[in-house]
Every structure is written in C-alpha cells, then in structure tokens.
Amino acid sequence: MLADLAASLGSHREVAVPANPITEQSTAITPQMLPLIDLTQPEIDRIVSTVPGGVGNIQDIYGLSPLQDGILFHHLLATQGDPYLLMSQMAFAERGVLDRYLAAVQQVVDRHDILRTAFVWEGLSSPAQVVWRKAALDVLEVELEGCDGSGADELRRRFDPRQYRLDLGRAPLMRFVIAREPGSGRWLLLVLQHHLIGDHTTAEVMHAEVRAVLQGRAHELAAPPFRNLVAQARLGMDAKAHEAFFREMLADIDEPTLPFALSEVYGDGRGSREARRMLPQALNDRLRHQARRLGVSLASLCHLAWAQVVALSSGREQVVFGTVLFGRMHGVPAPTVPWACS
C-alpha cells in the first residue's frame, strides 16, 4: 500500500485555474460565469437572493472541496449543536484594546476570500460556497453580572457547540461574543468559528495577521485566492477513479466496526470523559526510530497501532475507521485555510 501511495504522489496533473468572470460591475450572474460549479439559472437566482446586496455583493460562487462536503454533511446530520464548531477565548485589559483587536480581525476578513464565504444548499442540485465582497464581523455583547462562577466558564456554557449552531448562510462563519468580566475591568472574548472555513491552524494564521495589521505590516502578507484550491480539488481529480478505489477497498465490508459493540454515543457527549497521557521520552524516541527504520511517518505507525486496538476491541480482523489528514494540494500556495482541499 505504501509503495502504491508513493507511486501515486507524482501522478497528479497541474490544473489551469479558470478566471473568475464576476466583477464589481456585474449586474447579473449566469451559468457560464461559474466555471467551478454547474448550476442552472434558477439555482443561481436562488443563491443571489440569500446574499445581502445581491449580485453587487457577490465576488465568486464555486463548489465545495471534498473535505468541506463531509463537514457540511455532518453539520446537516446533527440535530442539536454542531460537531464542527470551534471555540476559543481571550481576555483584554480594557475595552479599547478589544475594539482595536476586532477592527484588525475585520481587516483580516476583508483580505481573505474564505473568511467572507457563506454556504447555500437548499434548493440546489449541489452545495455552493458564495464569496461575499463585504462581510462584517458578527459581534454580540452579553451581560455576565450575577453568573455563577467565572465569566469565561459562563460564556463557554452559554455558547457550547453541543447546543449552539451558526447560520452557515451568513458570512463570515464566525461569531464574536464579548462581555465585561464581573468584578474587574477586563473584557472577555469568545470566538466561534466553523470548521468549513478553518481550523486551529487558521486561528494561528489569523492571530499572526492581526499582529501584522496592528503593526502596519498587512501589506507585506500574501492572500492567495481560495478558489485556486477549489479548482485543484474539483478539476484535478478523477471522481470516478476515486469511487472505484473506495469501492474496491470497501466492497467486502458489510457492517460497521464497533469497538465493544457500542453503536451509539452517550447523548451529546456530556457523560464522556477524556484522558490524556504524555508518552515517556524513551518510548517516543523508540517510536520515531521505528518510523524512520520503516520509511513511514510517525502518524502512519500510530494509525497501525490504533487499528490493532480497534481490531481487538471489536473482534474483527478487518477494521474500518476514519482519520483527519492535514495536508496541502501538491504544493499549491496555501490560503488562510491550509486543509480545505485535503
């Protein structure tokens, strides 16, 4: 399998990214103007009706990357909350500092297409992502007076992704919740960001860009169009070949792999517990040595070990489980979101 993978790495073909015919002067959008998605005119009109400002506020429309397809599927599958809603928190010494930070974030959003992207699927033959020309931050100020416990804990409780969802049809797919910390002059910030437009690495890139904006260095940073990665994902692969590959690999699998015969999670996960242990340095060194000796990544070795655990806990010789891969498409320059075409 590793030999087959290695042989396939050089088999990709470079894709000529089609130009985007939509301009600021466009007064209408037609199917011929959307080279990265197949939509009828009524479907395009449906999309336009969802965007504040209509055609004038639409910079581009294209399909989803394969990874985004999967994320949207699980978002729609969830009946409560959202499994792909990411949360982070910060604190600021005073409101003025917080306001300057939010203004800098707005500039970062203005620079990156993916951060001004909304998603539309209802009434369409295939889901579309729509890049808005202007997308203002969604900032919500709440009161924390009288809360039981710390303000940060209260914010996490109120906007717990296990119950809270974002409207994917409104860009940017981020919400900023601010509150004065009870008993102090500090201001708390909770950020909710959907995995459709980024991940934890995205947050790190955004923080770096915010610092650059505040230091007056934003003009030094590149902002590659996200459509380049979408084009690589949609035009650079043979969908039928992918289907044939997975059909061959999974053809004899007729039931899911269920460790300990557990077919359901415990409600929304509140009753679950997570344990983390640091590997002893000696074991870490041995694992890395084995990976180098075998000519594979440490991740591949750990996946093999996990497969053994799943096999023994499920009583199955052939096991199937999913994994998340962090990668970039064939050296294509990465936009704010580096994984979106993985």
Side-chain angles (χ1 to χ4, degrees):
M1 288 296 296
L2 287 178
D4 293 340
L5 174 62
S8 71
L9 292 180
S11 64
H12 76 277
R13 62 184 180 89
E14 291 300 326
V15 170
V17 179
N20 176 16
I22 304 174
T23 69
E24 294 186 50
Q25 288 71 43
S26 298
T27 57
I29 300 175
T30 64
Q32 295 73 28
M33 299 170 71
L34 306 179
L36 296 178
I37 189 171
D38 293 323
L39 295 173
T40 65
Q41 190 61 56
E43 289 177 317
I44 296 173
D45 296 340
R46 160 70 179 155
I47 291 174
V48 171
S49 70
T50 69
V51 179
V55 172
N57 195 31
I58 296 178
Q59 177 181 313
D60 208 347
I61 302 174
Y62 36 74
L64 278 58
S65 72
L67 183 56
Q68 288 176 314
D69 272 325
I71 291 174
L72 178 60
F73 172 80
H74 284 99
H75 168 84
L76 298 176
L77 193 64
T79 57
Q80 186 177 18
D82 194 320
Y84 284 109
L85 190 56
L86 309 175
M87 176 189 293
S88 61
Q89 288 183 288
M90 288 178 277
F92 298 82
E94 58 186 42
R95 178 62 184 264
V97 178
L98 169 60
D99 289 340
R100 288 195 295 276
Y101 173 83
L102 292 174
V105 173
Q106 180 67 68
Q107 291 189 50
V108 174
V109 170
D110 294 342
R111 284 169 34 81
H112 289 281
D113 298 348
I114 189 62
L115 300 182
R116 289 178 280 103
T117 295
F119 293 77
V120 182
W121 60 89
E122 293 182 348
L124 305 183
S125 55
S126 63
Q129 45 187 333
V130 187
V131 183
W132 295 9
R133 295 191 183 278
K134 298 293 183 182
L137 294 187
D138 185 0
V139 181
L140 174 65
E141 183 175 343
V142 299
E143 295 288 340
L144 293 178
E145 295 300 332
C147 71
D148 184 15
S150 75
D153 290 343
E154 176 67 11
L155 286 178
R156 283 194 297 269
R157 185 188 65 78
R158 291 190 193 181
F159 297 92
D160 189 331
R162 288 175 293 193
Q163 286 85 39
Y164 191 80
R165 291 166 72 91
L166 291 181
D167 178 0
L168 302 188
R170 296 194 61 81
L173 298 194
M174 297 184 289
R175 167 159 283 196
F176 296 80
V177 184
I178 63 175
R180 182 188 293 274
E181 186 176 46
S184 79
R186 296 200 315 168
W187 281 80
L188 304 177
L189 170 65
L190 180 143
V191 182
L192 294 165
Q193 174 184 278
H194 205 278
H195 200 19
L196 275 167
I197 65 164
D199 57 10
H200 291 291
T201 298
T202 305
E204 294 176 5
V205 173
M206 287 184 62
H207 291 323
E209 291 211 6
V210 166
R211 287 194 295 270
V213 169
L214 293 174
Q215 295 167 1
R217 297 186 295 103
H219 63 282
E220 302 174 4
L221 305 175
F226 187 72
R227 76 189 317 269
N228 293 359
L229 285 117
V230 173
Q232 183 70 51
R234 296 181 65 86
L235 304 180
M237 70 175 188
D238 184 341
K240 291 184 178 179
H242 282 239
E243 292 175 6
F245 170 80
F246 283 105
R247 188 173 291 113
E248 179 182 356
M249 292 292 293
L250 304 175
D252 57 347
I253 303 298
D254 54 10
E255 61 180 296
T257 303
L258 301 175
F260 307 109
L262 295 175
S263 60
E264 299 289 343
V265 297
Y266 291 107
D268 61 4
R270 289 179 180 272
S272 62
R273 295 292 181 267
E274 182 177 297
R276 298 190 180 192
R277 293 182 60 186
M278 293 294 292
L279 291 180
Q281 187 62 48
L283 177 56
N284 178 70
D285 293 343
R286 285 166 52 202
L287 287 170
R288 294 183 182 278
H289 172 75
Q290 286 291 342
R292 286 193 295 270
R293 185 180 68 83
L294 296 170
V296 300
S297 69
L298 180 58
S300 295
L301 192 61
C302 291
H303 277 78
L304 175 61
W306 178 243
Q308 295 289 338
V309 172
V310 174
L312 292 173
S313 60
S314 64
R316 295 178 62 87
E317 185 174 335
Q318 288 186 304
V319 300
V320 178
F321 59 90
T323 186
V324 176
L325 298 178
F326 184 101
R328 294 181 177 140
M329 292 297 292
H330 314 306
V332 176
T336 299
V337 183
W339 49 255
C341 289
S342 299

